[in-house]
Amino acid sequence: MSTFRSDFLHTLHERGFIHQVSDEAGLDALFAKETVTAYIGFDPTAPSLHAGGLIQIMMLHWLQKTGHRPISLMGGGTGMVGDPSFKDEARQLMTVDTIEANIASIKRVFSNYLAYEEGPNGALMINNAEWLRSLNYLEFLRDVGRHFSVNRMLSFDSVKTRLEREQSLSFLEFNYMILQAYDFVELAKRYDCRLQMGGSDQWGNIVNGIDLGHRMGTPQLYALTSPLLTTASGAKMGKSVNGAVWLNADMLGPYAFWQYWRNTEDADVGRFLKLYTTLPMDEIARLVNEAQGSGINEVKKILATEVTAMLHGRAAAEAAAEAARKTFEEGGVSADLPTVEVAAAELEAGIGVLAAFAERTGLVASNGEARRQIKGGGLKVNDASVTDEKALLTARDLNADGVIKLSLGKKKHVLLRAV
RNA sequence: GGGGGAGUGUCCCGAGCGGCAAAGGGGGCGGACUGUAAAUCCGCUGGCUAUGCCUUCGUAGGUUCGAGUCCUACCUCCCCCA
């Protein structure tokens, strides 16, 4: 279990990526012997992946880095069905337009982690719409459907909750696992893809693909899943104070992304360094060992900067780190904080604090929320608590840099800039 | 097909004799303590042009001064019988 000969499995294991593998010895031997092609599927359910999906991307990254060929598979076909695994109700069906738009948007982050280039281990970006959308129903049933036992499909944990209580499982969704299995076989045939990876919730779907491969005459296929990641206190990865931690910069800026990692719980720092950065293992060990008490904050900054640098580039990561330093350690104002512009004339006339926090910057959801926060001492203008909900912000509140700093709590800041 | 039960604050779970903006949790947000951590403690957790107004308890009607609460129909789900 713990000693792998191949670079790839050895690396994945020591960094904590492995939850389950279908045939450890066999897969290890394969990786030690030849360049292996492996894939992970991404469903286009939103215009961006979030931090929860980062672990999958990192697995592909290591795959390529250890000399093998990664395939990032976009679910342009499977997205039309929707994966019911471990969901307690059906998702709303997406239109083809939405799916295509989501894929185009999701794709953008991959090139930061994978090299899409010619060559034996150049990464491939593939869309399963390519073969799924043109399937002929009757042919598909006869060629592929006959290999599936409904009895067995009903026994999977991934659909059990749906079957035993709550909501119904539509025939449409029930087909998802068949399509995903078919994808694996199709990729095996077209690209000699031998391994499918994914989150632990994908185990059943992946194993179905292996079985289908047996029946349809592919070489031996393999499954590898990563653990379902939660923080040390049990929260799911990828949620932050403002909602999901999106990877796309237009949905979550580098500064906010950096902040998410900066706020990692102490107990998670070592684990996250291994999973989400490419720092060498001995250096990670050194960092974690040296961090005594509050010294761990320095390590959290390294974590945040490394993770952000991979996604948004080194320069953006360092700008985010610097913005945070000015804001938190000097109590000052950094021009790199999120900024909202207002017309100088409006500011001259005066903008109500409630409007400034709610409508203009969206720091709070409504005027009512702003009032409550004022009562609780949560809103600040230029670092001074707001006590009067009728107060007006005017040009006099602009600081030397021509901005007004609005804060919700200690961590969320937005600058109001007059233009 | 027959019988029984259930759908509650658009994050979730859940109480609710006809006067309810609706108990209690969880989650979330803010405050205190700290280290931009965890744990703990405290406050808040429908909207608004706000001593008032508007919207909310599966959907649509009805009874009533007044309905989450009663009646009718419909939708969805669960359980038992066939």
Side-chain angles (χ1 to χ4, degrees):
Chain A
M1 164 77 194
S2 48
T3 49
F4 291 107
R5 283 165 46 230
S6 63
D7 275 358
F8 177 64
L9 289 181
H10 176 75
T11 302
L12 247 53
H13 179 256
E14 72 177 357
R15 300 189 80 101
F17 285 95
I18 297 181
H19 179 248
Q20 263 180 300
V21 181
S22 58
D23 169 11
E24 290 182 356
L27 187 61
D28 193 35
L30 185 70
F31 269 109
K33 178 165 70 87
E34 62 188 52
T35 299
V36 178
T37 301
Y39 91 98
I40 297 179
F42 298 87
D43 271 348
T45 50
S48 168
L49 297 175
H50 57 74
L54 202 49
I55 185 168
Q56 318 303 340
I57 300 179
M58 291 303 289
M59 287 201 289
L60 289 179
H61 173 85
W62 286 114
L63 180 79
Q64 187 169 43
K65 200 146 187 189
T66 53
H68 303 279
R69 182 168 68 154
I71 295 176
S72 45
L73 183 73
M74 296 295 119
T78 38
M80 297 186 70
V81 172
D83 187 0
S85 298
F86 299 100
K87 309 253 165 41
D88 46 18
E89 58 184 32
R91 294 218 176 179
Q92 180 122 35
L93 279 181
M94 292 183 291
T95 64
V96 176
D97 285 350
T98 305
I99 291 172
E100 290 307 322
N102 285 349
I103 288 177
S105 178
I106 286 171
K107 268 183 175 178
R108 296 208 296 258
V109 303
F110 280 87
S111 56
N112 299 317
Y113 296 88
L114 301 175
Y116 292 91
E117 59 196 14
E118 296 298 313
N121 75 331
L124 298 174
M125 174 73 73
I126 295 170
N127 186 337
N128 64 16
E130 215 176 287
W131 53 82
L132 291 182
R133 285 193 194 162
S134 57
L135 284 177
N136 175 297
Y137 192 58
L138 288 178
E139 270 175 37
F140 183 75
L141 286 179
R142 287 172 65 97
D143 294 344
V144 177
R146 69 193 171 97
H147 296 302
F148 284 86
S149 152
V150 170
N151 313 43
R152 183 166 145 71
M153 287 166 71
L154 288 172
S155 75
F156 282 103
D157 282 348
S158 56
V159 297
K160 209 186 264 170
T161 48
R162 285 286 276 282
L163 294 175
E164 284 177 356
R165 52 190 122 98
E166 307 292 343
Q167 305 278 329
S168 73
L169 176 68
S170 71
F171 183 67
L172 173 78
E173 295 174 279
F174 194 48
N175 277 270
Y176 185 92
M177 61 173 98
I178 296 180
L179 295 179
Q180 186 171 336
Y182 180 69
D183 275 349
F184 198 178
V185 171
E186 198 63 26
L187 288 168
K189 286 183 180 164
R190 294 181 180 216
Y191 303 98
D192 191 32
C193 177
R194 303 290 298 277
L195 167 67
Q196 182 182 174
M197 302 188 285
S200 57
D201 59 333
Q202 293 298 307
W203 180 258
N205 290 343
I206 299 174
V207 166
N208 264 322
I210 296 178
D211 285 346
L212 183 63
H214 282 151
R215 302 201 161 98
M216 295 183 73
T218 65
Q220 177 65 50
L221 304 178
Y222 299 90
L224 187 160
T225 56
S226 59
L228 179 66
L229 278 183
T230 57
T231 66
S233 49
K236 276 186 188 152
M237 283 299 293
K239 297 286 165 126
S240 81
V241 286
N242 296 318
V245 182
W246 302 111
L247 301 187
N248 284 32
D250 54 342
M251 294 176 70
L252 187 76
Y255 173 78
F257 187 78
W258 191 93
Q259 280 297 317
Y260 174 73
W261 298 98
R262 171 62 184 84
N263 283 296
T264 296
E265 294 173 30
D266 288 6
D268 289 325
V269 171
R271 199 160 54 107
F272 286 2
L273 281 168
K274 288 193 272 185
L275 289 168
Y276 297 108
T277 76
T278 52
L279 293 175
M281 288 296 286
D282 52 354
E283 179 162 0
I284 291 173
R286 188 179 60 78
L287 287 172
V288 172
N289 270 333
E290 284 179 8
Q292 302 294 328
S294 63
I296 197 162
N297 282 317
E298 292 308 313
V299 183
K300 289 184 189 179
K301 290 178 200 168
I302 294 171
L303 170 69
T305 301
E306 289 300 315
V307 179
T308 306
M310 263 192 111
L311 177 63
H312 295 300
R314 184 64 56 180
E318 280 173 4
E322 179 57 15
R325 197 186 62 77
K326 276 190 193 152
T327 306
F328 288 98
E329 294 173 29
E330 293 179 0
V333 178
S334 165
D336 283 317
L337 289 173
T339 301
V340 172
E341 300 186 335
V342 294
E346 274 186 276
L347 197 58
E348 212 52 58
I351 297 174
V353 266
L354 298 181
F357 276 93
E359 286 131 53
R360 298 311 175 101
T361 63
L363 270 172
V364 296
S366 65
N367 288 358
E369 172 69 13
R371 287 194 182 89
R372 284 192 287 271
Q373 290 295 358
I374 288 171
K375 235 172 269 173
L379 297 190
K380 290 184 191 145
V381 172
N382 292 329
D383 298 314
S385 286
V386 178
T387 51
D388 176 10
E389 63 180 55
K390 295 201 176 112
L392 288 180
L393 300 184
T394 68
R396 275 195 301 278
D397 295 303
L398 292 168
N399 69 9
D401 297 322
V403 297
I404 302 174
K405 180 181 174 192
L406 304 183
S407 312
L408 166 62
K410 290 178 196 144
K411 297 187 184 177
K412 277 162 285 185
H413 312 280
V414 173
L415 301 181
L416 220 49
R417 181 178 297 280
V419 290

